[in-house]
Amino acid sequence: MQRVVAKPGKDKKIRNFYPVLFADELAASPQEAGVVQVYSSENQFLGVGYYHPASRAAVRVYRFDEGALDKAFFLQRFARAQARRAGLGSFYRLVHAEADGLPGLVVDRFGEVLVVQVRNQAMEALREYWLPALVAIAQPVGIYERSDVESRRQEGLVERVGPLYGQVPSLLEVDEDGLVFHIPLALAQKTGYYLDQRENRRRFEAMVQPGERVLDVYSYVGAFALRAARKGAYVLAVDKDLEALGVLDRTAYRFGLRVDIRQGDAVEVLESLAKSHTPPFQQVLLDPPTLVKRPEELPRVKRLLVDLLRPALRLLARQGWLWLSSCAYYLGVEALLEVTRRAAADEGRRLRVHAVYHNPPDHPWSLHIPETLYLKTVLFQDDPL
Ligand SMILES: C[S@@+](CC[C@H](N)C(=O)[O-])C[C@H]1O[C@@H](n2cnc3c(N)ncnc32)[C@H](O)[C@@H]1O
């Protein structure tokens, strides 16, 4: 096996289970891409990874003991990932990349169908080992690939989208606590469905009261909205994705539920609702997409969030609940509190923080990899004196 050598001091990252070494953190590396043993500058073994000279993250470390990155290795990793999800039903994230010891691989399980996303050169190169191991452990009827993320382009990889194994239906069937969504795989966002908000959706449904008014902004297929509708609330859902709103509409129809829909940009729709003196909403959900991918984007995104929060607060009923989420690592809880404080000051509203929620257990948060804490939801309540 080829070797890379970490620069002095950089071995600590690997010893502390952080699975990346950047090109400028290497004292020695081979000419060719491939599986490598990682050594410290004192010639101590640190782990086994994959080296790719064109990647900024030149080495991704997959194991911290000696051994191959072969089918047996992946069988063990997938078996462990599956065992950790015991009791979660048959819809969950089965592999959450580095948090499951598999940097660059995401696998969502939707019953008998898996949707996979390959994000880096390493998992692309090791496909012949991990794919049969995944099939052996998860035993799906079909696997669909949605490898069309930005990180792939940064790695110099082309998109790969389409059926990968077995029988893949064109409509993904997602059953979440009795609400069944039929989502066209080819047109869906990410891996098809936002499994990571399921626990928040359960918390939300438990709090919604019949007759309340609910505003679900960035609704996607309406997984929050339809839960409120089945509790007997009036619901207005807002999203810019017409396909997703079509799924929402058809799901509502199948279940005999009513959800009003507005397609458009969230800030524009909220501004126009606030201006038209729409009656206030007891629950307002703001679940935007990943707005920040680099730290330098943060100031701009904070201003956008203040612009979003101001009309949202005008639409929020007295003592109403505001659910504000961020799925961007760089947009943390402190930033969410700051933008809400700024918007509340502009609108003369007083809020209290009721709770802060994080990624659910099927999207694990590794202590050693701060980036794995990506989902934050702050639940505010309007708190007039
Ligand atoms: C994180 S997803 C929301 C997930 C959803 N709340 C759920 O539980 O399934 C973000 C959504 O924001 C929508 N979106 C992105 N930019 C938008 C914009 N400017 N205005 C309105 N919706 C937007 C996307 O279409 C996507 O459905």
Side-chain angles (χ1 to χ4, degrees):
M1 216 183 274
Q2 307 189 94
R3 274 188 181 207
V4 296
V5 180
K7 281 186 179 166
K10 298 301 173 191
D11 56 309
K12 286 203 195 89
K13 286 175 78 179
I14 310 298
R15 290 188 207 283
N16 201 17
F17 303 107
Y18 192 84
V20 170
L21 283 173
F22 294 105
D24 60 3
E25 295 175 326
L26 299 179
S29 54
Q31 298 284 318
E32 300 286 310
V35 176
V36 289
Q37 288 187 321
V38 185
Y39 276 80
S40 73
S41 54
E42 278 91 44
N43 204 28
Q44 285 165 322
F45 172 83
L46 298 172
V48 177
Y50 190 87
Y51 170 73
H52 197 281
S55 291
R56 200 172 80 86
V59 181
R60 313 258 181 194
V61 179
Y62 285 83
R63 59 190 299 170
F64 300 90
D65 57 347
E66 305 222 25
L69 301 185
D70 55 7
K71 185 176 169 193
F73 164 76
F74 287 110
L75 279 170
Q76 181 265 342
R77 280 288 147 97
F78 289 132
R80 178 186 289 209
Q82 184 150 288
R84 279 186 189 147
R85 273 94 174 158
L88 289 182
S90 46
F91 295 83
Y92 51 80
R93 175 150 294 187
L94 172 58
V95 177
H96 189 51
E98 53 268 56
D100 280 299
L102 292 166
L105 184 69
V106 165
V107 183
D108 281 350
R109 177 189 273 284
F110 299 102
E112 296 185 313
V113 176
L114 303 180
V115 181
V116 304
Q117 199 165 69
V118 181
R119 296 180 174 173
N120 66 21
Q121 288 277 3
M123 291 310 279
E124 195 59 59
L126 298 169
R127 218 173 246 271
E128 64 181 293
Y129 303 110
W130 63 256
L131 186 56
L134 179 62
V135 170
I137 297 295
Q139 304 201 343
V141 165
I143 304 180
Y144 189 79
E145 178 161 8
R146 272 304 296 265
S147 299
D148 56 353
V149 278
E150 166 77 17
S151 58
R152 260 182 94 85
R153 286 184 279 281
Q154 288 164 8
E155 293 262 320
L157 293 165
V158 294
E159 287 187 2
R160 287 180 75 149
V161 175
L164 182 62
Y165 165 84
Q167 302 297 312
V168 179
S170 57
L171 285 180
L172 187 68
E173 194 172 296
V174 184
D175 181 340
E176 186 175 284
D177 300 335
L179 281 171
V180 183
F181 300 85
H182 295 159
I183 303 173
L185 260 172
L187 305 170
Q189 296 180 21
K190 302 274 176 79
T191 60
Y193 186 77
Y194 293 91
L195 288 164
D196 56 359
Q197 286 282 23
R198 174 170 46 189
E199 292 200 359
N200 284 332
R201 290 192 282 261
R202 288 179 176 150
R203 294 180 178 112
F204 164 75
E205 185 172 3
M207 286 176 62
V208 173
Q209 303 296 320
E212 281 189 343
R213 289 170 55 82
V214 172
L215 179 58
D216 181 4
V217 186
Y218 303 103
S219 66
Y220 191 49
V221 295
F224 280 100
L226 289 159
R227 284 179 181 261
R230 75 175 174 186
K231 287 287 292 281
Y234 164 80
V235 191
L236 176 59
V238 179
D239 203 284
K240 71 171 190 188
D241 182 341
L242 211 49
E243 287 295 337
L245 293 174
V247 174
L248 193 170
D249 203 34
R250 290 191 290 278
T251 313
Y253 179 77
R254 270 192 290 112
F255 283 85
L257 298 170
R258 181 184 160 188
V259 173
D260 281 353
I261 287 171
R262 287 282 290 271
Q263 192 250 334
D265 172 69
V267 177
E268 286 173 19
V269 173
L270 291 195
E271 280 292 353
S272 95
L273 284 172
K275 280 199 188 97
S276 66
H277 304 291
T278 310
F281 295 87
Q282 283 73 33
Q283 307 271 354
V284 175
L285 297 146
L286 302 175
D287 184 15
T290 312
L291 296 168
V292 195
K293 297 207 170 107
R294 280 170 282 277
E296 57 272 23
E297 294 167 349
L298 202 52
R300 176 187 57 79
V301 169
K302 282 185 182 172
R303 284 193 296 277
L304 171 80
L305 283 174
V306 174
D307 287 346
L308 176 75
L309 280 156
R310 288 172 53 186
L313 286 172
R314 266 177 265 150
L315 290 162
L316 183 69
R318 291 285 146 185
Q319 298 184 58
W321 299 91
L322 173 68
W323 303 71
L324 176 63
S325 293
S326 161
C327 55
Y329 164 66
Y330 291 111
L331 190 63
V333 172
E334 280 306 319
L336 293 180
L337 297 177
E338 181 200 323
V339 291
T340 311
R341 203 178 288 119
R342 278 162 58 184
D346 288 348
E347 297 302 325
R349 297 292 285 265
R350 187 172 185 272
L351 303 176
R352 73 181 180 89
V353 178
H354 181 75
V356 179
Y357 304 112
H358 296 107
N359 334 356
D362 59 334
H363 294 64
W365 168 12
S366 167
L367 169 66
H368 306 278
I369 312 169
E371 296 87 339
T372 58
L373 169 59
Y374 74 102
L375 184 63
K376 285 84 40 176
T377 298
V378 184
L379 176 54
F380 298 96
Q381 186 178 27
D382 177 74
D383 188 26
L385 286 175

